[in-house]
Amino acid sequence: MTQQTFLYQPKISDVLKNMRKVMIGKEEAAMLSLVALLAKGHVLLEDVPGVGKTMLVKTLAKSLDCDFKRIQFTPDLLPSDVTGVSIYNPKSMEFEFRPGPILGNIVLADEINRTSPKTQSSLLEGMEETSITVDGNTVPLSDPFFVMATQNPIEYEGTYPLPEAQLDRFLIKMKMGYPTAKQEMEMLSRTSNGHPIEEISAVLTREELVGLQKEVLEVYVDRTVNRYIIDLVTGTRTHDGVYLGVSPRGSMALMKAAKAYAFIHDRDYVVPDDVQFMAPYVLSHRMILTSEARFEGQTAESIIDSLLSSTSIPVKRNISE
């Protein structure tokens, strides 16, 4: 890594410090969102209303000197409301493109499961291709580009759940959960005279963020660690309780997430512990369980946990490989 990395490293701590000021007791969720951002991935945040899903991405966006856009997904939202539209200008007698909110750097896709699959696909195209198609023309997205989508797992009436093939577009899927009584007491105390997010200021510029993303790509992954990732992913494909296992895209996603996690912890190499920590968040939403497994009460998370327990952990490199 370059010397510049160590100049940026304290700023990663500053971002996490900002998020701790607002998100009480949610250090893990804050760190995971930063992992996805540094790995050039996207996050699906699924939880009940009122636990701070929207506040999490707002705090992250405010900590970065980037263009922040919010899309409130509703049943009547159109794809052009996301991507933008070309409007005819009678003065110039030409069509002018009016960009939509997806052209921002940090995009909050609020309640993504409340809009139609056609509108969802307009967002998912940009997430996968880093470009959108408007009136037959390809429009590149901003760099950096990060999407955090939220959805409510409780209310299903009038919603359009994301299919498994679309869930695969998200690097990480996570939940936040309710705070403890002590954390909620602290929350009430901090917000009694105004919300702490109002005191948050940017600590990382867009150029610095792009530089960090490039540095993450240079984090070293040993052959034995890659073998460990493949063994975990292969286990999902052969497990009796899994109808459809994790694809090679999932293997690459786990490697990228582990590299970003190692980078945040001030290391330029990945260790098996990084893979173990990130595996449940990266792999669980990429699996389809059999009906028998679901009937028995198994979950994707429990299957990942069992694979982590049964898969051999590399302790040293085998020179013969």
Side-chain angles (χ1 to χ4, degrees):
M1 289 191 179
T2 65
Q3 184 64 31
Q4 195 175 29
T5 303
F6 302 104
L7 296 176
Y8 288 163
Q9 200 70 38
K11 296 198 174 186
I12 294 179
S13 300
D14 290 339
V15 173
L16 292 173
K17 190 183 299 182
N18 267 359
M19 300 183 78
R20 282 195 296 269
K21 291 178 182 177
V22 179
M23 308 303 300
I24 301 169
K26 304 300 179 186
E27 289 83 2
E28 188 170 291
M31 187 270 301
L32 288 170
S33 61
L34 190 55
V35 164
L37 177 63
L38 293 177
K40 290 190 173 183
H42 308 284
V43 174
L44 179 61
L45 188 50
E46 183 181 72
D47 217 321
V48 296
V51 294
K53 300 187 299 293
T54 303
M55 192 56 62
L56 175 66
V57 66
K58 281 186 175 180
T59 306
L60 178 62
K62 200 168 182 182
S63 299
L64 309 171
D65 188 21
C66 294
D67 189 21
F68 173 65
K69 301 291 184 181
R70 182 178 184 271
I71 310 172
Q72 180 63 55
F73 282 89
T74 57
D76 60 346
L77 197 73
L78 299 175
S80 58
D81 295 327
V82 176
T83 60
V85 64
S86 295
I87 299 177
Y88 182 73
N89 187 337
K91 292 184 178 180
S92 62
M93 293 187 295
E94 294 180 348
F95 282 93
E96 296 179 353
F97 176 62
R98 301 291 177 85
I102 197 174
L103 271 295
N105 296 123
I106 310 294
V107 179
L108 169 60
D110 218 354
E111 296 187 292
I112 190 175
N113 58 331
R114 290 200 177 277
T115 196
S116 66
K118 185 176 182 180
T119 304
Q120 288 174 356
S121 66
S122 64
L123 175 69
L124 295 165
E125 177 197 359
M127 291 167 53
E128 181 66 19
E129 307 295 336
T130 63
S131 64
I132 54 174
T133 304
V134 180
D135 297 333
N137 298 316
T138 299
V139 180
L141 297 179
S142 305
D143 187 24
F145 175 64
F146 172 70
V147 173
M148 181 174 284
T150 70
Q151 66 176 9
N152 181 358
I154 303 301
E155 298 176 5
Y156 288 107
E157 186 175 351
T159 63
Y160 304 86
L162 291 170
E164 283 74 10
Q166 294 181 343
L167 285 174
D168 200 34
R169 307 289 178 90
F170 291 93
L171 178 70
I172 290 173
K173 181 182 178 185
M174 63 178 179
K175 300 179 181 180
M176 296 181 67
Y178 287 115
T180 64
K182 183 178 179 181
Q183 291 167 350
E184 198 160 359
M185 181 68 75
E186 177 66 18
M187 201 178 298
L188 295 178
S189 176
R190 290 193 190 183
T191 57
S192 60
N193 296 319
H195 204 285
I197 195 173
E198 298 170 1
E199 302 173 4
I200 297 298
S201 59
V203 295
L204 196 66
T205 66
R206 186 185 70 85
E207 291 76 16
E208 289 171 337
L209 176 57
V210 171
L212 285 172
Q213 290 176 332
K214 291 178 180 178
E215 294 287 356
V216 168
L217 295 176
E218 297 181 16
V219 173
Y220 175 71
V221 186
D222 192 78
R223 183 182 179 87
T224 57
V225 177
N226 276 335
R227 180 76 254 178
Y228 182 50
I229 292 173
I230 293 172
D231 289 344
L232 288 172
V233 170
T234 303
T236 67
R237 301 170 189 166
T238 58
H239 195 283
D240 292 337
V242 179
Y243 172 73
L244 185 66
V246 177
S247 68
R249 181 190 290 173
S251 303
M252 292 184 284
L254 183 53
M255 181 187 68
K256 290 194 297 182
K259 290 170 74 171
Y261 182 77
F263 184 84
I264 288 175
H265 289 81
D266 206 13
R267 278 185 282 108
D268 59 357
Y269 57 92
V270 173
V271 297
D273 286 349
D274 302 327
V275 176
Q276 288 183 319
F277 181 83
M278 293 305 309
Y281 303 104
V282 176
L283 302 182
S284 60
H285 63 286
R286 304 172 190 271
M287 301 161 49
I288 302 178
L289 273 58
T290 63
S291 55
E292 292 82 4
R294 291 195 300 269
F295 179 76
E296 293 171 358
Q298 295 187 62
T299 63
E301 290 79 6
S302 65
I303 290 176
I304 294 297
D305 286 342
S306 68
L307 290 173
L308 288 171
S309 301
S310 60
T311 305
S312 299
I313 302 173
V315 292
K316 62 180 181 178
R317 183 171 182 176
N318 188 346
I319 299 177
S320 64
E321 289 189 356

